[in-house]
Amino acid sequence: MTKLQIQRHSSPQRLQSGQEDGGDTDRGTSVITRTKTKTQRPSLYRVLLLNDDYTPMEFVVHVLERFFQKDQEAATVIMLHVHKHGVGECGVYTYEVAETKVTQVMDFARQHQHPLQCVMEKN
């Protein structure tokens, strides 16, 4: 934080030669404070798909293409990773975006009667 001092003269009168300042002038100081804002990057969150034994692989690929803008090859790689390891990362986003994607995937899976789970965790 930086501080600036500015002197203020409330009486714009000029002293004539030989006239002294009798202390009647109101001289005060004001402090103006400037704060420097320091911006931070927002926290990032990983969006993860969890494996289950009921959701078809094709549906998982479709979800990855539709909600995470993956091409067919990238979606298939992620789907196989989820299938083999139990979990797979779909993308990394800010909190609001990650939360929206999780909600969209979960709603879409429920509409199609699949138990697919999508979660988010801090990166």
PDB file of all heavy atoms in Angstrom, residues 73-93:
ATOM      1  N   GLU A  73     -11.404 -40.339 -31.336  1.00  0.00           N
ATOM      2  CA  GLU A  73     -10.192 -41.041 -30.890  1.00  0.00           C
ATOM      3  C   GLU A  73      -9.832 -40.690 -29.443  1.00  0.00           C
ATOM      4  O   GLU A  73      -9.573 -41.577 -28.627  1.00  0.00           O
ATOM      5  CB  GLU A  73      -9.020 -40.681 -31.815  1.00  0.00           C
ATOM      6  CG  GLU A  73      -7.758 -41.459 -31.509  1.00  0.00           C
ATOM      7  CD  GLU A  73      -6.631 -41.116 -32.475  1.00  0.00           C
ATOM      8  OE1 GLU A  73      -6.924 -40.718 -33.617  1.00  0.00           O
ATOM      9  OE2 GLU A  73      -5.469 -41.257 -32.062  1.00  0.00           O
ATOM     10  N   ALA A  74      -9.844 -39.416 -29.112  1.00  0.00           N
ATOM     11  CA  ALA A  74      -9.524 -38.993 -27.742  1.00  0.00           C
ATOM     12  C   ALA A  74     -10.570 -39.513 -26.761  1.00  0.00           C
ATOM     13  O   ALA A  74     -10.228 -39.956 -25.649  1.00  0.00           O
ATOM     14  CB  ALA A  74      -9.441 -37.475 -27.665  1.00  0.00           C
ATOM     15  N   ALA A  75     -11.839 -39.476 -27.147  1.00  0.00           N
ATOM     16  CA  ALA A  75     -12.911 -39.981 -26.285  1.00  0.00           C
ATOM     17  C   ALA A  75     -12.761 -41.476 -26.036  1.00  0.00           C
ATOM     18  O   ALA A  75     -12.956 -41.953 -24.907  1.00  0.00           O
ATOM     19  CB  ALA A  75     -14.273 -39.681 -26.915  1.00  0.00           C
ATOM     20  N   THR A  76     -12.368 -42.219 -27.050  1.00  0.00           N
ATOM     21  CA  THR A  76     -12.170 -43.664 -26.901  1.00  0.00           C
ATOM     22  C   THR A  76     -11.000 -43.957 -25.961  1.00  0.00           C
ATOM     23  O   THR A  76     -11.086 -44.852 -25.116  1.00  0.00           O
ATOM     24  CB  THR A  76     -11.937 -44.316 -28.285  1.00  0.00           C
ATOM     25  OG1 THR A  76     -13.073 -44.025 -29.119  1.00  0.00           O
ATOM     26  CG2 THR A  76     -11.771 -45.819 -28.157  1.00  0.00           C
ATOM     27  N   VAL A  77      -9.920 -43.197 -26.089  1.00  0.00           N
ATOM     28  CA  VAL A  77      -8.754 -43.385 -25.202  1.00  0.00           C
ATOM     29  C   VAL A  77      -9.156 -43.133 -23.750  1.00  0.00           C
ATOM     30  O   VAL A  77      -8.812 -43.909 -22.849  1.00  0.00           O
ATOM     31  CB  VAL A  77      -7.587 -42.457 -25.632  1.00  0.00           C
ATOM     32  CG1 VAL A  77      -6.501 -42.416 -24.576  1.00  0.00           C
ATOM     33  CG2 VAL A  77      -7.021 -42.917 -26.969  1.00  0.00           C
ATOM     34  N   ILE A  78      -9.894 -42.056 -23.488  1.00  0.00           N
ATOM     35  CA  ILE A  78     -10.331 -41.743 -22.126  1.00  0.00           C
ATOM     36  C   ILE A  78     -11.279 -42.818 -21.606  1.00  0.00           C
ATOM     37  O   ILE A  78     -11.166 -43.276 -20.460  1.00  0.00           O
ATOM     38  CB  ILE A  78     -10.985 -40.345 -22.060  1.00  0.00           C
ATOM     39  CG1 ILE A  78      -9.945 -39.262 -22.368  1.00  0.00           C
ATOM     40  CG2 ILE A  78     -11.628 -40.104 -20.687  1.00  0.00           C
ATOM     41  CD1 ILE A  78     -10.531 -37.879 -22.572  1.00  0.00           C
ATOM     42  N   MET A  79     -12.216 -43.244 -22.444  1.00  0.00           N
ATOM     43  CA  MET A  79     -13.175 -44.279 -22.054  1.00  0.00           C
ATOM     44  C   MET A  79     -12.450 -45.569 -21.671  1.00  0.00           C
ATOM     45  O   MET A  79     -12.775 -46.192 -20.649  1.00  0.00           O
ATOM     46  CB  MET A  79     -14.168 -44.531 -23.188  1.00  0.00           C
ATOM     47  CG  MET A  79     -15.186 -45.630 -22.923  1.00  0.00           C
ATOM     48  SD  MET A  79     -14.624 -47.308 -23.340  1.00  0.00           S
ATOM     49  CE  MET A  79     -14.316 -47.184 -25.071  1.00  0.00           C
ATOM     50  N   LEU A  80     -11.451 -45.962 -22.440  1.00  0.00           N
ATOM     51  CA  LEU A  80     -10.691 -47.183 -22.119  1.00  0.00           C
ATOM     52  C   LEU A  80      -9.889 -47.013 -20.832  1.00  0.00           C
ATOM     53  O   LEU A  80      -9.755 -47.959 -20.047  1.00  0.00           O
ATOM     54  CB  LEU A  80      -9.778 -47.565 -23.283  1.00  0.00           C
ATOM     55  CG  LEU A  80     -10.509 -48.091 -24.532  1.00  0.00           C
ATOM     56  CD1 LEU A  80      -9.536 -48.268 -25.698  1.00  0.00           C
ATOM     57  CD2 LEU A  80     -11.238 -49.398 -24.215  1.00  0.00           C
ATOM     58  N   HIS A  81      -9.377 -45.831 -20.601  1.00  0.00           N
ATOM     59  CA  HIS A  81      -8.659 -45.558 -19.354  1.00  0.00           C
ATOM     60  C   HIS A  81      -9.615 -45.693 -18.163  1.00  0.00           C
ATOM     61  O   HIS A  81      -9.260 -46.294 -17.138  1.00  0.00           O
ATOM     62  CB  HIS A  81      -8.043 -44.159 -19.400  1.00  0.00           C
ATOM     63  CG  HIS A  81      -7.133 -43.882 -18.257  1.00  0.00           C
ATOM     64  ND1 HIS A  81      -7.584 -43.383 -17.071  1.00  0.00           N
ATOM     65  CD2 HIS A  81      -5.793 -44.062 -18.119  1.00  0.00           C
ATOM     66  CE1 HIS A  81      -6.565 -43.252 -16.236  1.00  0.00           C
ATOM     67  NE2 HIS A  81      -5.468 -43.652 -16.857  1.00  0.00           N
ATOM     68  N   VAL A  82     -10.820 -45.150 -18.297  1.00  0.00           N
ATOM     69  CA  VAL A  82     -11.832 -45.273 -17.246  1.00  0.00           C
ATOM     70  C   VAL A  82     -12.155 -46.748 -17.020  1.00  0.00           C
ATOM     71  O   VAL A  82     -12.238 -47.214 -15.874  1.00  0.00           O
ATOM     72  CB  VAL A  82     -13.106 -44.477 -17.608  1.00  0.00           C
ATOM     73  CG1 VAL A  82     -14.250 -44.785 -16.637  1.00  0.00           C
ATOM     74  CG2 VAL A  82     -12.827 -42.985 -17.654  1.00  0.00           C
ATOM     75  N   HIS A  83     -12.315 -47.495 -18.101  1.00  0.00           N
ATOM     76  CA  HIS A  83     -12.669 -48.917 -18.021  1.00  0.00           C
ATOM     77  C   HIS A  83     -11.575 -49.720 -17.324  1.00  0.00           C
ATOM     78  O   HIS A  83     -11.871 -50.574 -16.480  1.00  0.00           O
ATOM     79  CB  HIS A  83     -12.923 -49.450 -19.436  1.00  0.00           C
ATOM     80  CG  HIS A  83     -13.323 -50.880 -19.468  1.00  0.00           C
ATOM     81  ND1 HIS A  83     -14.548 -51.306 -19.005  1.00  0.00           N
ATOM     82  CD2 HIS A  83     -12.667 -51.992 -19.901  1.00  0.00           C
ATOM     83  CE1 HIS A  83     -14.627 -52.622 -19.153  1.00  0.00           C
ATOM     84  NE2 HIS A  83     -13.497 -53.057 -19.698  1.00  0.00           N
ATOM     85  N   LYS A  84     -10.316 -49.451 -17.643  1.00  0.00           N
ATOM     86  CA  LYS A  84      -9.201 -50.240 -17.085  1.00  0.00           C
ATOM     87  C   LYS A  84      -8.791 -49.799 -15.684  1.00  0.00           C
ATOM     88  O   LYS A  84      -8.415 -50.617 -14.854  1.00  0.00           O
ATOM     89  CB  LYS A  84      -7.988 -50.133 -18.008  1.00  0.00           C
ATOM     90  CG  LYS A  84      -8.179 -50.848 -19.336  1.00  0.00           C
ATOM     91  CD  LYS A  84      -6.969 -50.669 -20.224  1.00  0.00           C
ATOM     92  CE  LYS A  84      -7.222 -51.312 -21.573  1.00  0.00           C
ATOM     93  NZ  LYS A  84      -6.139 -51.031 -22.533  1.00  0.00           N
ATOM     94  N   HIS A  85      -8.842 -48.481 -15.411  1.00  0.00           N
ATOM     95  CA  HIS A  85      -8.313 -47.969 -14.141  1.00  0.00           C
ATOM     96  C   HIS A  85      -9.394 -47.520 -13.156  1.00  0.00           C
ATOM     97  O   HIS A  85      -9.077 -47.112 -12.035  1.00  0.00           O
ATOM     98  CB  HIS A  85      -7.361 -46.800 -14.404  1.00  0.00           C
ATOM     99  CG  HIS A  85      -6.195 -47.165 -15.268  1.00  0.00           C
ATOM    100  ND1 HIS A  85      -5.549 -48.368 -15.222  1.00  0.00           N
ATOM    101  CD2 HIS A  85      -5.535 -46.465 -16.209  1.00  0.00           C
ATOM    102  CE1 HIS A  85      -4.552 -48.402 -16.083  1.00  0.00           C
ATOM    103  NE2 HIS A  85      -4.536 -47.249 -16.711  1.00  0.00           N
ATOM    104  N   GLY A  86     -10.640 -47.510 -13.594  1.00  0.00           N
ATOM    105  CA  GLY A  86     -11.729 -47.152 -12.699  1.00  0.00           C
ATOM    106  C   GLY A  86     -12.071 -45.675 -12.679  1.00  0.00           C
ATOM    107  O   GLY A  86     -13.123 -45.293 -12.186  1.00  0.00           O
ATOM    108  N   VAL A  87     -11.183 -44.859 -13.204  1.00  0.00           N
ATOM    109  CA  VAL A  87     -11.424 -43.412 -13.223  1.00  0.00           C
ATOM    110  C   VAL A  87     -10.632 -42.794 -14.372  1.00  0.00           C
ATOM    111  O   VAL A  87      -9.557 -43.292 -14.727  1.00  0.00           O
ATOM    112  CB  VAL A  87     -11.045 -42.759 -11.864  1.00  0.00           C
ATOM    113  CG1 VAL A  87      -9.565 -42.870 -11.597  1.00  0.00           C
ATOM    114  CG2 VAL A  87     -11.508 -41.328 -11.782  1.00  0.00           C
ATOM    115  N   GLY A  88     -11.153 -41.714 -14.941  1.00  0.00           N
ATOM    116  CA  GLY A  88     -10.455 -41.033 -16.021  1.00  0.00           C
ATOM    117  C   GLY A  88     -10.786 -39.561 -16.035  1.00  0.00           C
ATOM    118  O   GLY A  88     -11.911 -39.156 -15.708  1.00  0.00           O
ATOM    119  N   GLU A  89      -9.804 -38.758 -16.388  1.00  0.00           N
ATOM    120  CA  GLU A  89      -9.971 -37.306 -16.414  1.00  0.00           C
ATOM    121  C   GLU A  89     -10.533 -36.858 -17.758  1.00  0.00           C
ATOM    122  O   GLU A  89      -9.985 -37.168 -18.813  1.00  0.00           O
ATOM    123  CB  GLU A  89      -8.623 -36.633 -16.161  1.00  0.00           C
ATOM    124  CG  GLU A  89      -8.695 -35.126 -16.085  1.00  0.00           C
ATOM    125  CD  GLU A  89      -7.338 -34.510 -15.811  1.00  0.00           C
ATOM    126  OE1 GLU A  89      -6.829 -34.663 -14.688  1.00  0.00           O
ATOM    127  OE2 GLU A  89      -6.796 -33.877 -16.741  1.00  0.00           O
ATOM    128  N   CYS A  90     -11.597 -36.058 -17.682  1.00  0.00           N
ATOM    129  CA  CYS A  90     -12.224 -35.518 -18.886  1.00  0.00           C
ATOM    130  C   CYS A  90     -11.675 -34.149 -19.248  1.00  0.00           C
ATOM    131  O   CYS A  90     -11.671 -33.771 -20.413  1.00  0.00           O
ATOM    132  CB  CYS A  90     -13.723 -35.386 -18.680  1.00  0.00           C
ATOM    133  SG  CYS A  90     -14.505 -36.908 -18.165  1.00  0.00           S
ATOM    134  N   GLY A  91     -11.253 -33.388 -18.235  1.00  0.00           N
ATOM    135  CA  GLY A  91     -10.734 -32.051 -18.464  1.00  0.00           C
ATOM    136  C   GLY A  91     -10.509 -31.330 -17.148  1.00  0.00           C
ATOM    137  O   GLY A  91     -10.899 -31.806 -16.086  1.00  0.00           O
ATOM    138  N   VAL A  92      -9.864 -30.163 -17.241  1.00  0.00           N
ATOM    139  CA  VAL A  92      -9.577 -29.324 -16.076  1.00  0.00           C
ATOM    140  C   VAL A  92     -10.180 -27.950 -16.336  1.00  0.00           C
ATOM    141  O   VAL A  92      -9.918 -27.338 -17.375  1.00  0.00           O
ATOM    142  CB  VAL A  92      -8.051 -29.218 -15.834  1.00  0.00           C
ATOM    143  CG1 VAL A  92      -7.755 -28.339 -14.637  1.00  0.00           C
ATOM    144  CG2 VAL A  92      -7.442 -30.596 -15.653  1.00  0.00           C
ATOM    145  N   TYR A  93     -10.994 -27.471 -15.377  1.00  0.00           N
ATOM    146  CA  TYR A  93     -11.765 -26.248 -15.575  1.00  0.00           C
ATOM    147  C   TYR A  93     -11.824 -25.435 -14.283  1.00  0.00           C
ATOM    148  O   TYR A  93     -11.508 -25.940 -13.209  1.00  0.00           O
ATOM    149  CB  TYR A  93     -13.210 -26.595 -15.991  1.00  0.00           C
ATOM    150  CG  TYR A  93     -13.290 -27.519 -17.173  1.00  0.00           C
ATOM    151  CD1 TYR A  93     -13.443 -28.891 -17.002  1.00  0.00           C
ATOM    152  CD2 TYR A  93     -13.216 -27.039 -18.462  1.00  0.00           C
ATOM    153  CE1 TYR A  93     -13.514 -29.751 -18.083  1.00  0.00           C
ATOM    154  CE2 TYR A  93     -13.286 -27.888 -19.564  1.00  0.00           C
ATOM    155  CZ  TYR A  93     -13.434 -29.250 -19.361  1.00  0.00           C
ATOM    156  OH  TYR A  93     -13.503 -30.092 -20.441  1.00  0.00           O
TER     157      TYR A  93
END
